[in-house]
Amino acid sequence: MGDQNKTPVIEFKDFQFQYFSQAEPTLHDINLTIHKGEKILLVGPSGSGKSTLGHCLNGLIPFSYKGEIKGSLKIMGHETKDLDIFQISKMVGTVLQDSDGQFVGLTVGEDVAFALENDCVDLNTMKKTVQAVTDIVDMGQLLKSSPFELSGGQKQRVSFAGVMVDNVDILLFDEPLANLDPATGKTAIDLIDRVWRDQEKTVIIIEHRLEDVLYRDVDRIIVVSDGRIAADMTPDELMAADILPGLGIREPLYVTALKYAGIQVTPELHAGRLETLDTEQIREPLLAWNRAQKKQKKTEDRPVLLKADGIHFQYTKKRKILQDISFSIREGEMVSIVGTNGAGKSTLAKLICGFVKEDQGHLFYGQEDMSGWTIKERSEKIGYVMQNPNQMICKPMIYDEVALGLRIRGVPEEEIEPKVEKALKICGLSPFKKWPVSALSFGQKKRVTIASVLVLEPRILILDEPTAGQDYHHYTEIMEFLKSLNSQGVTILMITHDMHLMLEYTPHAIVISGGQKIGDSDSVEILTSEDIAAQANLKITSLYELALKTGIEDPSSFVQNFIDYERGTRRNESEAV
Amino acid sequence: MKAKLFDYIDRDNFVYNLSGLTKLMAFICLTFSVMFSYDIRYILFVLAVSFCFFRISEITFRQVRTMVIYVAVFLLINFLLTYLFSPQYGTQIYGTTHEIFRFNSRYTVTLEQLLYQVTKILKYASGIPLGMIFLLTTNPSEFAASLNRIGVSYKASYALALTLRYFPDMIRDYQDISLAQQSRGLDLSKKEKLSTRVKNMMNIFVPLIFTTLDRIELISNAMDLRGFGKNKKRTWYAGKPLGRNDYIAMLFSAAILAGSVCVSVFVNGSRFYNPFI
């Protein structure tokens, strides 16, 4: 698309932007033209400036975030400096990352109508437009629903409809996949694709989950790094260019697999999408690589540390949250708990921590029944880390924050200090001992919360979405850190819907769907089982699909080989450092 | 739980289907009419009317139980304190003394005082169900729309609606944070000394404030991006056009207000009804 009528809709020329609060410009020398009807993917690690670039496009810069602009940015031929945020919002519609937080109205209909209300559209026209637009995103039946009744994917559809009522020409999606489970994410990408084709919009997607966006066609990928444009090419060319790993962006797993097998990725392979990949040329080398991999021995089984036996739980009589959940977790394991939103994953974590009480069944810590234990007693054995560090941190200074749990327990100050220092050291925060929390990045704050839980020396650590909102670089950092904790003997349970995380870091996964356990085994086995994936809104890994496509006999073992190989190379890398 | 206190539940009945503007007007008129009059007969009449509307609106007792308990306690304290501080006020107003019972020379129980205090309690008791009906049957956005229609600036109206809208979210955040802090050993139960409990509460409020600030930044960006504040006026999706029932209800409540004033002026000659002369 877009080849026939090359009308530029967005033109950056020698564009530079510097926040007033910062010493250095965040964006340098941006020269970029986007044409009408193009579908663009904007990728880059955290702090690369990709969000800043997005804010420049939708007008939040300079209207909400102040700073100095040099050079020129034209949208639909108008210099943005001469426009206000309202005029820009008539041309560029933004779907923000957090669809929960941007839900302004009390019902679906009202939220979608918000922009119309502000334009003083009369009630009748408003109702008609809202109906028409919500029908496009399949939400037309739910106009009266409140945000609490909607799933994450549905809320996103509502915010999508909310910007489409303005009939904007350019749609900007800021990390549309961040809060969605894998299957819903796939549907979202499908929907964006459908609207792009049917409504002839220009679409810009900011996202770091490259592989998931490339599930559907994209015209160009623009890579932002250090505030500059590092690449601007088609997906096929980008996969062949081999620049992503160096920038801290994860390339699709199947591309990594090709590289492990020693295959030279060229634009002619059409590796931009798995669907278009030319399998003829890669079959032989891939099969050869797969045969060459040695099977790794299983480690011996250690004693069971946490056991659930027939757990039932419900908040009200009608809605059963958990039904007959049993599992065993062995000492030193790293386990993923996966499943759809609202399946009961978080409730399970709450039960283990003692925040809520099971109606039936028992939880055992080692041999002991935990039913008589209070939250406080459990917290000495089991630490719980919330998804959002801002919800946990309550002291202005890092040291005090980490020491809090011990101080509450009346531990003498001279015993606290070495313990805090140890926890800070494990979390790589020693240099920041005397720093205020506010000086830290999101990832570092996360570590502070982990340190503040570790200081109580729990044997089990439960983390809710440990890597949510993190780019590949920080993701790897956090996960390698957890891995090292794990190797020091801490048993780790993670609630997640990140399939990569599950596959690469947690050999054992428990799948919950509709309050029931539908899978409890090897992660590789689960992520290659189409049945479980469909039930629990997971996504089959692209490695498995690659194996199928190239006719590898035992696709699951191919996936396992990949994981083993990758762990091997990563270990070598870290040893080399 | 507490979050339910302000939860708006959509129902389909006469009261729910009235526009927010009508309900606001009716609430003001009826409350004012009972606040103005000290005629127990008229107040009983309005009380009966407000209980009728309460039934029609199908609000369940469960929804308002907490509120009812608070109000009852408040009324009881009010009743006792009124007597404690001015046991002879009724006699002053009505100008006669019908003594029933005597504790000492200051604290006597007179019919006049009894009438005065019962009247006063009934005034509150008839106003409060009206307030509950208004709060529980009005969609916050529609409420904002009505405020805007009677002349309050739409930004202020919307701010109010948003507060109501995000209140349950904040309570949810509070519960999450509180659980996470308890798991670090923070004790909020009654086992702990009050001073420590207050200090521990602070450890929940700090993160709550920061999460709320994050939320505010996000929501204000989302609103800016969709053109909030662009024009001097705006229309309301949730606003209901006034129907026949709205006019009837408004006329009815205006009549009650007028009735209250008329009873005072023409029947009683003052705001008080005096059966003792």
Side-chain angles (χ1 to χ4, degrees), chain A residues 65 89-90 101 103 105-106 110-111 117-121 379 386 390-392 394-395 401 408-409, chain B residues 139 141 165-166 173 180-181 183-186 203 214 217 219 221 225-227 230-231 233-235 237:
Chain A
Y65 302 108
S89 75
K90 289 281 154 225
F103 209 110
L106 204 71
E110 205 188 319
D111 189 68
E117 295 178 321
N118 295 328
D119 271 336
C120 299
V121 175
S379 69
M386 295 173 86
N390 291 338
Q391 287 199 334
M392 286 188 78
C394 50
K395 295 283 178 206
E401 178 63 28
I408 290 170
R409 285 173 169 76
Chain B
N139 173 327
S141 319
R165 147 99 174 75
Y166 279 99
D173 278 345
Q181 302 299 10
S183 82
R184 291 164 74 181
L186 224 57
N203 287 332
D214 285 351
E217 181 183 335
I219 196 82
N221 277 348
L225 283 175
R226 290 161 73 187
K230 175 166 45 176
N231 297 320
K233 285 200 304 202
R234 85 198 285 277
T235 46
Y237 181 82

Side-chain angles (χ1 to χ4, degrees), chain A residues 8 140 143 161 267 289 299 345 361 372 390 401 492 495 518 525 534:
Chain A
L143 288 185
W289 176 83
T299 44
K345 293 173 294 181
N390 291 338
E401 178 63 28
I492 294 180
I495 299 173
I518 60 165
E525 213 168 287

